[in-house]
Structure formats: C-alpha cells, structure tokens
Amino acid sequence: MTEEIYTNTWDEGNYRCSHCGQVLFDSDAKFKSGTRWPSFRSARPGTIHTRPDHSLGMERTEILCSRCGQHLGHVFPDGEISGDTHPAAGNRFCVLSSALVFAEKEVPGKKEH
C-alpha cells in the first residue's frame, strides 16, 4: 500500500486522524512550509494534546490526537518564518502524512464520475 502524501494537497476539506477518524485540521489552516510534511497554522479546538519530546537530543513539542493518542508529529513556533503569510501565522503543526486521512469538502450538486 502506498502512503498518500498530503504535503502538496490543496483541495478544500479536512484532515482526520488516520487511526480514529477525528477531524483535526481544516484545509484553510494549511500552508506551504517548504518542508516534506503537511503544515498547519492551527488545529481544531480540543483535538490535539501536546507533551514535551526530548528524543533525538532535541527539545520539541509532540502533538497527539486527543481522542486516541496517536502520534501526529510536532508543533513549532516558526510558522511565520516557515512560509505562513496569513495574519494569524504563528505555530507550525508539522504533521506526518501517515497520521492523516483527507476528506474532500462536499459540494452540493457535484456528481462523482
């Protein structure tokens, strides 16, 4: 099975936890960070838990799904310098594509081919 890479996905919709299905991020919070990972300026309220991560000799903040505890990636306070041009730029939620499932926004009247 090939992992879907969401770094260059720009469709409207939302990103769900690949383990439990909880909606974590909306597509309008996504920005191009120049990294290999999908980056978001914010998560949906109450969907992310954080904890310190001192692995690999670094100090980082791990992000986890609040419902199932799946490791999602890390959050960094460098959104503005990482390419986020939105007025609310600040954090960069750096998320593993394998921790996400994308659900395209449903458009009324749009028919599947």
Side-chain angles (χ1 to χ4, degrees):
M1 183 171 156
T2 303
E3 178 184 340
E4 179 69 32
I5 304 297
Y6 295 120
T7 306
N8 294 312
T9 298
W10 301 106
D11 297 333
E12 287 187 56
N14 57 55
Y15 293 83
R16 299 172 179 268
C17 173
S18 65
H19 187 258
C20 72
Q22 176 174 225
V23 177
L24 304 169
F25 303 97
D26 292 317
S27 59
D28 61 359
K30 191 166 186 264
F31 67 95
K32 198 176 282 192
S33 67
T35 67
R36 296 182 307 166
W37 297 274
S39 296
F40 302 87
R41 78 183 51 87
S42 60
R44 281 201 172 179
T47 63
I48 302 288
H49 283 235
T50 63
R51 68 179 175 200
D53 178 359
H54 302 289
S55 64
L56 304 174
M58 297 185 272
E59 289 193 31
R60 300 180 290 177
T61 302
E62 180 181 18
I63 55 175
L64 305 113
C65 175
S66 66
R67 183 185 291 166
C68 70
Q70 173 176 230
H71 171 78
L72 302 169
H74 295 87
V75 62
F76 303 98
D78 65 357
E80 205 167 357
I81 63 173
S82 293
D84 191 0
T85 59
H86 191 275
N91 285 328
R92 174 174 56 99
F93 289 82
C94 186
V95 185
L96 300 167
S97 285
S98 59
L100 299 172
V101 172
F102 178 71
E104 192 173 344
K105 180 179 178 180
E106 292 184 26
V107 179
K110 181 180 176 182
K111 295 182 180 183
E112 296 289 320
H113 293 290

